[in-house]
């Protein structure tokens, strides 16, 4: 006896869930192979020095990018309207605020043991490469925001990006129910 309903099927696995683990495994194998080749040619001590130097350089890059990001955030918050000495105009992003995320990613890639990740991290330290990747990431994000379905999480981000000409972002709805009164007998605090 059958009910006429098809058997439940498992959702299809996305391409990213299939290929990303394979790509990471291939990358790790390639990194290990390349380190063994360099160790055969230059010696194990040289590879050890390269790895230690990569960790130190990556830490320095990440620390400086983090400090720069924090400094830019502090400057922007100090220029917000309502702060002492702030102008009435909307705060503009500091001139050096672009690329901190890519700098931190570059530092992280340099810290990861391996020569391929070191090269990728060093490429992210080059300002034109960071600028190009930033433009591409921004275009990709804008394209995904335009194709977002209403009510999705990306729709919420798109709504947050809408700015008025005066620089203020005011979105929301206030509903006041006048017939409800605050509770006259508040509950006492719970004690252990």
């Amino acid at each position: 006896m059958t009910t006429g309903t098809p058997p439940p099927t498992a959702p299809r696995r996305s391409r990213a869930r299939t290929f990303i683990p394979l790509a990471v495994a291939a990358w790790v194998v390639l990194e290990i192979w390349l380190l063994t080749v360099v160790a055969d040619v230059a010696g194990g001590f040289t590879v050890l020095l390269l790895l230690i130097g990569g960790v130190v350089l990556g830490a320095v890059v990440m620390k400086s990018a983090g400090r720069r990001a924090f400094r830019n955030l502090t400057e922007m918050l100090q220029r917000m309207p309502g702060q002492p000495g702030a102008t009435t105009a909307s705060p503009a992003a500091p001139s050096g605020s672009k690329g901190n995320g890519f700098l931190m990613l570059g530092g992280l890639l340099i810290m990861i043991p391996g020569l391929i990740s070191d090269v990728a991290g060093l490429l992210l330290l080059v300002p034109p490469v960071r600028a190009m990747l930033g433009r591409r990431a921004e275009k990709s994000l804008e394209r995904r925001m335009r194709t977002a379905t209403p009510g999705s999480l990306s729709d919420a981000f798109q709504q947050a990006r809408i700015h008025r000409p005066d620089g203020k972002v005011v979105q929301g709805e206030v509903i006041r129910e006048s017939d409800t009164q605050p509770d006259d007998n508040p509950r006492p605090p719970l004690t252990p």
Side-chain angles (χ1 to χ4, degrees), residues 16-27:
R17 287 186 61 197
T18 302
F19 291 117
I20 288 179
L22 293 173
V24 168
W27 170 65

Side-chain angles (χ1 to χ4, degrees), residues 120-151:
L122 288 172
L123 280 175
L124 284 176
L125 297 183
V126 179
V129 173
R130 279 196 319 266
M132 180 195 64
L133 287 175
R135 285 191 304 268
R136 292 190 80 177
E138 190 174 340
K139 287 179 184 177
S140 173
L141 182 64
E142 286 177 3
R143 184 173 51 248
R144 288 179 186 213
M145 294 293 232
R146 279 186 300 227
T147 62
T149 59

